[in-house]
């Protein structure tokens, strides 16, 4: 499974044996590079960045670290090793050998799943392109660029599937992935959260914690797919995704740590006192958390969805850890609780489990996100104040699904639309919060130095010291 870097497009799929596909991808490659140059990370042309590159797709020891110029990064096509005897593990085709080609009758749905996933990858690069100008340290700058190049590689992963398995339509879709733009009113990215700006580093860490974690759950479901090339692609992408979530979780941990250090030093958790120290008060962190959590909730889609049912029963998209679940993997008679507003309250009702798969994945995600938040709370506990960070209720601030019309507070109480509006500034970031956070975003590029609002990491990248020169300015 070693990756051939002598090829123009590094790959472990024996691209050289397929001349037509090679030619198609070699035409897409310069367009990808043009997209990267136009809308990818700003001011990076001459930088040498200490980045990891995949050298093998085998778990453990797949990464090589070295200084790389961003535009020379070796984007390519890496699939996890084939599992001999792999089967379709759920739905109507359960027990059949996994498909190595696209079943004709599922072609349109499969393409749609791949395009929707693929569209998020370049979107996040576009959303984050300005952040290098306000980095809190060289360590963080390097991490941002690592995420950016890997999201670029995820785009390659999906573009490969489109080119290799979907003929002319696939080539058109791969082209369109380079044409949509995050936040563009004429030609936006497909999903709402990927058209929101990521204006500051607090938003970046929230995004990598919450929204990249949605990526993990989507990829895990697609890794269960009966279409084997999609499964193998997603399994390798997940090794990269884990690092993005580490950056989000550890970034937030360091912010909370810095805030708690200031609370201890000032003997006060008063927001104005803390802000005067150049740190972000816990109430502001909570409002950002409420926003990013709720925007990410919507990414899972409508609570009840006939598309989700179809994707599952046709074997295209499974559940999180499908093969570890002890049931019939057909879900024909099962049901699943979903929420409804009745008599001014949220109540659980039953929906057919097949149709409630978005809700099930959302609930799996919430457990995982809560585990991370509770780790931040352990830091807060140590300073002996009663405060807690908390995920808002999943019905709070929704824009998609039946709960979109409801006014639900962060604790899950249904309130009047007026009461909701009156409390908006307590629950979601205000213009003043954003202005304060923006005011903290200086540019810190001296090795080993960190901005006032974030603690240094416990250790550096790849056993390098924290004050290592992670980015060299040419
Ligand atoms: Fe990604
Ligand atoms: Fe990611």
């Amino acid at each position: 499974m070693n990756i051939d870097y002598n090829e123009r497009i590094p790959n472990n799929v024996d691209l050289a044996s397929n001349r037509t596909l090679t030619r198609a991808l070699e035409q897409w490659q310069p367009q990808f590079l043009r997209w990267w140059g136009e809308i990818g990370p700003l001011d990076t042309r001459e930088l040498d960045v200490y980045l990891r590159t995949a050298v093998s797709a085998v778990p453990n020891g797949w990464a090589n670290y070295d200084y790389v110029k961003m535009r020379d990064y070796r984007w390519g096509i890496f699939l996890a090793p084939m599992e001999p005897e792999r089967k379709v593990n759920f739905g109507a085709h359960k027990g059949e050998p996994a498909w190595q080609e696209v079943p004709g009758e599922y072609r349109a749905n499969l393409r749609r799943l791949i395009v929707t996933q693929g569209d998020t990858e370049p979107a996040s690069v576009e959303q984050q392109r300005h952040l290098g100008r306000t980095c809190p340290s060289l360590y963080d700058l390097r991490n941002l660029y690592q995420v950016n190049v890997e999201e670029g590689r995820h785009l390659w992963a999906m573009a490969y599937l489109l080119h290799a398995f979907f003929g002319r339509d696939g080539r058109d879709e791969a082209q369109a992935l380079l044409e949509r733009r995050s936040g563009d009113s004429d030609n936006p990215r497909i999903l709402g959260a990927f058209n929101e700006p990521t204006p500051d580093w607090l938003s970046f860490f929230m995004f990598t914690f919450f929204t990249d974690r949605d990526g993990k759950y989507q990829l895990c479901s697609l890794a269960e797919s009966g279409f084997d090339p999609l499964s193998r692609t997603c399994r390798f992408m997940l090794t990269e995704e884990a690092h993005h979530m580490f950056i989000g979780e550890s970034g937030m941990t360091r912010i909370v740590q810095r805030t708690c250090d200031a609370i201890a030093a000032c003997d006060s958790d008063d927001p104005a006192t803390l802000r005067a120290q150049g740190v972000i008060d816990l109430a502001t962190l909570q409002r950002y958390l409420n926003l990013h959590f709720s925007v990410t909730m919507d990414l899972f889609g409508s609570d009840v969805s006939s598309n989700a049912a179809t994707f599952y029963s046709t074997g295209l998209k499974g559940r999180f850890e499908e093969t570890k679940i002890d049931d019939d993997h057909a879900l024909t008679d099962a049901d699943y609780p979903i929420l409804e507003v009745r008599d001014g309250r949220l109540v659980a009702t039953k929906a057919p489990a097949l149709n409630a798969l978005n809700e099930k994945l959302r609930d799996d995600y919430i457990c995982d996100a809560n585990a991370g938040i509770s780790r931040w709370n352990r830091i807060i506990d140590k300073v002996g104040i009663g405060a807690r960070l908390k995920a808002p209720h999943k019905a709070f601030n929704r824009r998609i699904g039946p709960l979109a019309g409801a006014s639900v507070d962060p604790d899950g109480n249904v309130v009047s639309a007026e009461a909701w509006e009156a409390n908006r500034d307590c629950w979601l970031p205000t213009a003043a919060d954003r202005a304060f956070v923006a005011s903290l975003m200086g540019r810190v590029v001296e090795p080993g130095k960190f901005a006032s609002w974030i603690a240094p990491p416990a250790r550096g990248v790849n056993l390098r010291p924290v004050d290592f020169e992670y980015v060299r300015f040419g």
Side-chain angles (χ1 to χ4, degrees):
M1 288 312 286
N2 280 348
I3 292 164
D4 187 350
Y5 276 95
N6 296 317
E7 298 287 327
R8 194 158 129 200
I9 299 170
N11 71 89
N12 68 352
V13 294
D14 191 21
L15 200 56
S17 73
N18 186 337
R19 279 305 304 152
T20 319
L21 178 58
T22 303
R23 234 174 292 127
L25 285 165
E26 284 180 354
Q27 277 170 24
W28 189 80
Q29 187 178 41
Q31 303 187 60
F32 168 86
L33 290 170
R34 197 172 320 128
W35 166 80
W36 179 266
E38 264 173 42
I39 199 81
L42 282 163
D43 318 324
T44 53
R45 269 196 89 75
E46 297 309 320
L47 305 187
D48 289 302
V49 187
Y50 189 69
L51 293 176
R52 66 175 192 180
T53 308
V55 286
S56 152
V58 180
N60 305 323
W62 64 272
N64 177 55
Y65 287 80
D66 205 351
Y67 285 102
V68 180
K69 289 228 191 304
M70 297 278 276
R71 63 190 148 88
D72 296 336
Y73 191 77
R74 299 302 311 276
W75 287 282
I77 301 158
F78 317 129
L79 272 59
M82 190 180 284
E83 284 173 18
E85 312 291 305
R86 185 169 176 266
K87 303 263 190 283
V88 181
N89 294 313
F90 58 91
H93 299 283
K94 184 172 180 297
E96 295 175 15
W99 310 308
Q100 299 305 326
E101 294 295 332
V102 178
E105 65 273 41
Y106 304 147
R107 192 181 170 86
N109 277 340
L110 199 47
R111 193 182 62 211
R112 176 166 163 192
L113 282 170
I114 292 169
V115 167
T116 307
Q117 178 63 41
D119 190 69
T120 67
E121 315 292 355
S124 66
V125 175
E126 294 165 6
Q127 289 170 295
Q128 295 161 13
R129 71 186 303 245
H130 297 277
L131 291 175
R133 292 184 170 170
T134 56
C135 62
S137 73
L138 277 189
Y139 167 88
D140 291 292
L141 185 63
R142 176 258 167 224
N143 283 349
L144 168 72
Y145 292 153
Q146 184 72 60
V147 171
N148 291 160
V149 294
E150 288 178 354
E151 299 302 7
R153 207 208 63 74
H154 290 179
L155 171 57
W156 268 94
M158 294 295 129
Y160 160 71
L161 293 176
L162 290 168
H163 273 111
F165 297 97
F166 294 89
R168 165 132 215 161
D169 310 350
R171 288 197 294 280
D172 290 347
E173 293 286 9
Q175 184 61 36
L177 289 173
L178 296 174
E179 287 168 3
R180 284 184 288 271
R181 290 284 180 274
S182 177
D184 188 303
S185 50
D186 294 329
N187 195 13
R189 292 294 172 186
I190 295 169
L191 299 171
F194 291 88
N195 288 299
E196 299 284 333
T198 309
D200 55 62
W201 280 76
L202 176 56
S203 302
F204 171 69
F205 290 126
M206 289 279 182
F207 186 97
T208 42
F209 182 82
F210 287 110
T211 308
D212 278 288
R213 189 175 311 273
D214 161 70
K216 165 185 163 182
Y217 278 78
Q218 300 300 339
L219 292 175
C220 282
S221 310
L222 294 172
E224 302 289 346
S225 182
F227 179 49
D228 203 44
L230 176 60
S231 168
R232 291 172 57 204
T233 304
C234 290
R235 271 182 274 145
F236 186 73
M237 289 166 78
L238 279 163
T239 61
E240 296 166 316
E241 206 58 57
H243 180 61
H244 306 174
M245 285 183 297
F246 161 80
I247 288 171
E249 172 150 0
S250 60
M252 285 307 306
T253 300
R254 291 160 52 211
I255 294 172
V256 171
Q257 182 66 56
R258 184 70 193 87
T259 300
C260 289
D261 290 347
I263 289 171
C266 303
D267 199 16
S268 166
D269 60 356
D270 170 51
T273 308
L274 293 170
R275 286 183 174 202
Q277 302 290 312
V279 303
I280 307 171
D281 53 286
L282 294 175
T284 301
L285 293 180
Q286 180 67 59
R287 286 190 288 274
Y288 271 73
L289 190 163
N290 289 346
L291 174 68
H292 285 268
F293 184 86
S294 59
V295 167
T296 304
M297 285 293 94
D298 276 338
L299 283 174
F300 291 88
S302 194
D303 312 17
V304 173
S305 162
S306 56
N307 281 332
T310 304
F311 295 154
Y312 186 84
S313 51
T314 54
L316 304 183
K317 182 180 179 185
R319 289 171 291 177
F320 177 65
E321 298 194 327
E322 179 70 44
T323 51
K324 294 188 189 160
I325 300 174
D326 185 17
D327 64 13
D328 67 359
H329 304 276
L331 302 179
T332 33
D333 299 317
D335 50 41
Y336 192 82
I338 57 154
L339 291 176
E340 232 176 59
V341 177
R342 212 182 284 161
D343 303 326
R345 285 189 315 122
L346 284 172
V347 290
T349 63
K350 283 179 180 174
L354 257 185
N355 294 72
L357 285 166
N358 289 342
E359 189 70 2
K360 158 95 173 98
L361 193 61
R362 186 163 22 240
D363 289 339
D364 290 339
Y365 168 95
I366 290 171
C367 284
D368 195 20
N370 274 330
I373 294 169
S374 70
R375 286 190 283 274
W376 305 338
N377 281 326
R378 269 182 245 146
I379 302 170
I380 302 174
D381 287 344
K382 285 194 193 136
V383 284
I385 56 170
R388 298 293 277 159
L389 293 171
K390 191 165 168 265
H393 193 278
K394 66 179 173 180
F396 170 71
N397 196 36
R398 292 288 297 280
R399 298 280 179 272
I400 288 177
L403 295 170
S407 300
V408 179
D409 76 10
D411 292 324
N413 304 304
V414 179
V415 298
S416 71
E418 296 74 41
W420 201 96
E421 277 308 319
N423 279 292
R424 171 190 284 272
D425 287 356
C426 303
W427 297 335
L428 292 169
T430 63
D433 290 338
R434 291 197 181 283
F436 169 66
V437 171
S439 77
L440 296 178
M441 299 293 131
R443 178 176 162 87
V444 180
V445 291
E446 197 182 321
K449 287 274 189 305
F450 288 82
S452 63
W453 50 273
I454 189 164
R459 60 190 66 83
V461 177
N462 191 34
L463 303 176
R464 302 289 170 178
V466 168
D467 62 1
F468 186 70
E469 193 178 12
Y470 289 104
V471 181
R472 289 180 183 151
F473 300 89

